[in-house]
Amino acid sequence: MVGTNMWYNRTHPKIIALLTFFAVTLSQLGIGLYLPSFPYLVQEFHTSDQLIQLTLTTYLAGFGISQLIYGPISDSVGRRPVMVASMFLVFLGALGCTMSNLISSLLLFRFIQGLGTGGCVVLSYAILKDLFDGTAYAQAVSMLSLFSGLANVCAPFIGGLIEQTLGWRSEFGFLLMYSGGLSVAVIGLLPETKKHDSLSGLRLRRLVQNYESILHCPKTVRLLLVIGLLFGAVLLINAMLPFVLIERLAMPPAMYGVLTLFNGVGFMLGTLICVRWVKQKGVSALIQLGLKGLMASATLMMLLGLSGLLNWQVVVIPIVLMMVCVGIAFPSLSAAVLQPYG
């Protein structure tokens, strides 16, 4: 499905797929790498906890906006130039964050970083769809999800080690080198995967009509609202956990990174449960199971907090249980949203 090019041999679809697997990890690294540094960023920038947490929000704002624009643009001009541009934004954002001395500049470059990583995710899925179909596409997407999950698990652990040994700027320096090396690989190895005759003009009216049709479906809107609330809950956990464990409980950043590995393992366990049970129980039943489990875990955390106990076990164990439930519910919700659209 990829056009011929003298720079590539017959195995190039696998190489291209591997590039997308690494590209999608940038989104998780952009979130998790610097979480262990939150308390230290408050001191570095002489600011409040809320403004440091806002750096995560601005990143996700850029990420979310990019989800709406990169797909139609790549349908119009091709995958390769949009992927290269996205990589450049990730690199620029990481460079800016590394050099930031003001909280305002950190917020700006985090937004730019989010715009870039969002493009990498959208284009990774689109490129795989260009290359593969049927079972091969499903297998490729599964590998993409595996790489993303591993990055989600490892990012806070790596960030904790870097913070404890080198400081927060080196976390963005790590992302700078990672995205820079990947950018070189993409520029050198990624051909245009969308066939020239399938390129279409950027039709804004049609794009708006597509979004209107989605918003006019009550079931889809409800499911999207639940997904948003679920994502917000995970965001809240990521934003508050460093302050609780590192600042309140005086935990070393490296130890914080080790404990967050359990959160990632919990999420992956939940997704495995979802995969094994979806044929037997169905999507709706798994959504209910995940959401009910999430409410029970949150209630457990609240009761433990009201009891006056505060140690890492009281904090981490309920959160791990919550992440298992998120892992069950999130893929099921995503499947339910996409089901009416084939």
Side-chain angles (χ1 to χ4, degrees), residues 202-215:
L202 187 59
R203 301 172 182 174
L204 293 178
R205 179 175 293 183
R206 183 182 226 180
L207 180 63
V208 171
Q209 288 174 344
N210 289 338
Y211 287 131
E212 284 181 347
S213 68
I214 292 173
L215 294 175

Side-chain angles (χ1 to χ4, degrees), residues 41-293:
L41 288 172
V42 172
Q43 301 170 18
E44 176 76 17
F45 288 95
H46 305 288
T47 187
S48 64
D49 297 357
Q50 290 75 22
L51 272 178
I52 295 302
Q53 291 168 341
L54 191 60
T55 63
L56 182 57
T57 305
T58 54
Y59 172 87
L60 292 171
F63 185 90
I65 291 170
S66 69
Q67 304 293 296
L68 302 175
I69 59 176
Y70 282 123
I73 292 174
S74 72
D75 287 339
S76 175
V77 303
R79 313 298 192 206
R80 175 182 163 85
V82 182
M83 177 64 95
V84 171
S86 299
M87 289 285 183
F88 173 75
L89 288 176
V90 178
F91 182 84
L92 177 63
L95 177 62
C97 290
T98 304
M99 300 175 66
S100 291
N101 292 312
L102 298 173
I103 186 63
S104 56
S105 64
L106 185 64
L107 288 167
L108 172 63
F109 285 112
R110 285 293 288 163
F111 179 77
I112 293 172
Q113 213 172 26
L115 285 175
T117 57
C120 292
V121 172
V122 171
L123 269 297
S124 293
Y125 280 96
I127 288 169
L128 291 180
K129 189 63 177 175
D130 293 338
L131 291 172
F132 308 106
D133 51 27
T135 303
Y137 175 68
Q139 291 174 336
V141 169
S142 296
M143 285 299 298
L144 194 77
S145 300
L146 177 62
F147 271 69
S148 179
L150 288 174
N152 180 51
V153 170
C154 296
F157 174 70
I158 296 171
L161 292 176
I162 294 175
E163 167 59 42
Q164 191 158 321
T165 55
L166 300 173
W168 68 271
R169 292 186 191 274
S170 295
E171 293 165 344
F172 290 110
F174 176 89
L175 191 58
L176 179 69
M177 292 186 292
Y178 185 86
S179 60
L182 194 54
S183 297
V184 172
V186 165
I187 291 171
L189 296 174
L190 180 67
E192 180 53 61
T193 60
K194 189 167 180 61
K195 293 181 179 178
H196 180 73
D197 57 5
S198 66
L199 292 173
S200 59
L202 187 59
R203 301 172 182 174
L204 293 178
R205 179 175 293 183
R206 183 182 226 180
L207 180 63
V208 171
Q209 288 174 344
N210 289 338
Y211 287 131
E212 284 181 347
S213 68
I214 292 173
L215 294 175
H216 284 130
C217 178
K219 181 180 178 182
T220 301
V221 171
R222 288 196 299 269
L223 290 170
L224 288 172
L225 181 60
V226 174
I227 289 175
L229 292 172
L230 204 61
F231 192 73
V234 175
L235 173 60
L236 182 62
I237 290 170
N238 285 335
M240 67 89 177
L241 201 56
F243 292 105
V244 174
L245 294 180
I246 297 175
E247 193 172 62
R248 291 287 302 277
L249 298 180
M251 181 175 289
M255 186 61 185
Y256 164 84
V258 171
L259 289 181
T260 57
L261 288 174
F262 291 104
N263 294 343
V265 171
F267 179 81
M268 295 182 73
L269 176 60
T271 58
L272 289 175
I273 292 173
C274 181
V275 170
R276 290 185 64 89
W277 286 4
V278 67
K279 289 185 178 180
Q280 302 173 12
K281 298 182 178 294
V283 169
S284 297
L286 287 177
I287 291 174
Q288 293 184 32
L289 175 63
L291 295 180
K292 288 178 180 177

Side-chain angles (χ1 to χ4, degrees), residues 310-326:
L310 184 59
N311 53 51
W312 71 264
Q313 295 94 331
V314 168
V315 175
V316 172
I317 292 174
I319 290 178
V320 172
L321 294 175
M322 291 170 69
M323 294 307 297
V324 173
C325 298
V326 170

